[in-house]
């Protein structure tokens, strides 16, 4: 298979992808990602011109972790390391926020992202959009809590 770090300057899309045969066994990559706590996805594609599968890491944290792993001992190719460095620089330039949750005006819990807060609420549906709306409308109570978005860098 072949792998690459992908960065689109126009859309700021970033990802790490390895493409291989349709029946590729991804067990070693799954194990590595579990050890490194990286969220990934595997796609199997059926096409007229040929079938293939892809191992994808699309989240910024995962891209930084896998790139750091691959290049700490210079395992990867220099030209791909160069692309990783560009992505790393872009990701580091993005403002970082945390989400703080308050109950009855008292600090209750902190989250790295609205999605993490949504998962914590465990409502069986994604509600990070509601949480972000509450953050933008200071004082708005959503799901019984007041939410604040705090810049940390």
């Amino acid at each position: 298979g072949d792998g690459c770090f992908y960065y689109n300057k126009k859309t700021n899309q970033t990802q790490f992808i390895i493409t291989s045969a349709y029946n590729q066994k991804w067990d070693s990559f799954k194990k590595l990602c579990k050890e490194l706590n990286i969220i990934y996805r595997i796609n199997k594609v059926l096409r007229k011109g040929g079938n293939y599968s892809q191992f994808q890491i699309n989240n910024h944290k995962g891209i930084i972790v896998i790139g750091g792993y691959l290049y700490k001992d210079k395992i990867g190719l220099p030209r791909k390391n160069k692309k990783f460095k560009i992505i790393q620089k872009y990701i580091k330039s993005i403002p970082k926020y945390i989400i703080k949750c308050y109950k009855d005006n008292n600090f209750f819990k902190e989250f790295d992202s609205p999605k993490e807060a949504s998962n914590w609420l465990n409502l069986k549906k994604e509600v990070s959009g509601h949480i972000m709306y509450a953050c933008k409308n200071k004082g708005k109570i959503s799901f019984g809590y007041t939410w604040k978005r705090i810049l940390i860098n």
Side-chain angles (χ1 to χ4, degrees), residues 112-129:
D112 290 333
S113 69
K115 184 167 181 141
E116 183 185 1
S118 174
N119 292 341
W120 172 76
L121 286 169
N122 197 22
L123 297 174
K124 301 196 184 344
K125 65 179 181 174
E126 171 65 39
V127 294
S128 59

Side-chain angles (χ1 to χ4, degrees), residues 41-132:
R41 155 172 102 201
I42 296 171
N43 293 324
K44 292 193 171 232
V45 180
L46 297 169
R47 288 223 172 127
K48 200 176 197 178
N51 305 330
Y52 61 91
S53 64
Q54 288 185 323
F55 190 93
Q56 296 182 336
I57 300 172
N58 296 315
N59 61 84
H60 290 162
K61 180 180 175 190
I63 293 168
I64 295 295
V65 171
I66 197 69
Y69 176 83
L70 290 172
Y71 297 112
K72 74 174 182 202
D73 294 325
K74 301 192 180 10
I75 296 171
L77 297 172
R79 66 184 166 83
K80 295 185 182 199
N81 187 12
K82 185 177 179 182
K83 180 65 78 82
F84 167 66
K85 295 286 186 198
I86 291 167
I87 292 170
Q88 187 178 42
K89 183 178 178 182
Y90 161 68
I91 291 172
K92 285 182 178 183
S93 75
I94 299 170
K96 305 289 187 278
Y97 295 88
I98 56 171
I99 304 297
K100 288 193 173 187
C101 172
Y102 296 83
K103 182 77 169 174
D104 300 324
N105 293 324
N106 295 310
F107 173 73
F108 186 73
K109 194 162 177 60
E110 184 176 295
F111 303 95
D112 290 333
S113 69
K115 184 167 181 141
E116 183 185 1
S118 174
N119 292 341
W120 172 76
L121 286 169
N122 197 22
L123 297 174
K124 301 196 184 344
K125 65 179 181 174
E126 171 65 39
V127 294
S128 59
H130 294 281
I131 293 168
M132 285 306 298

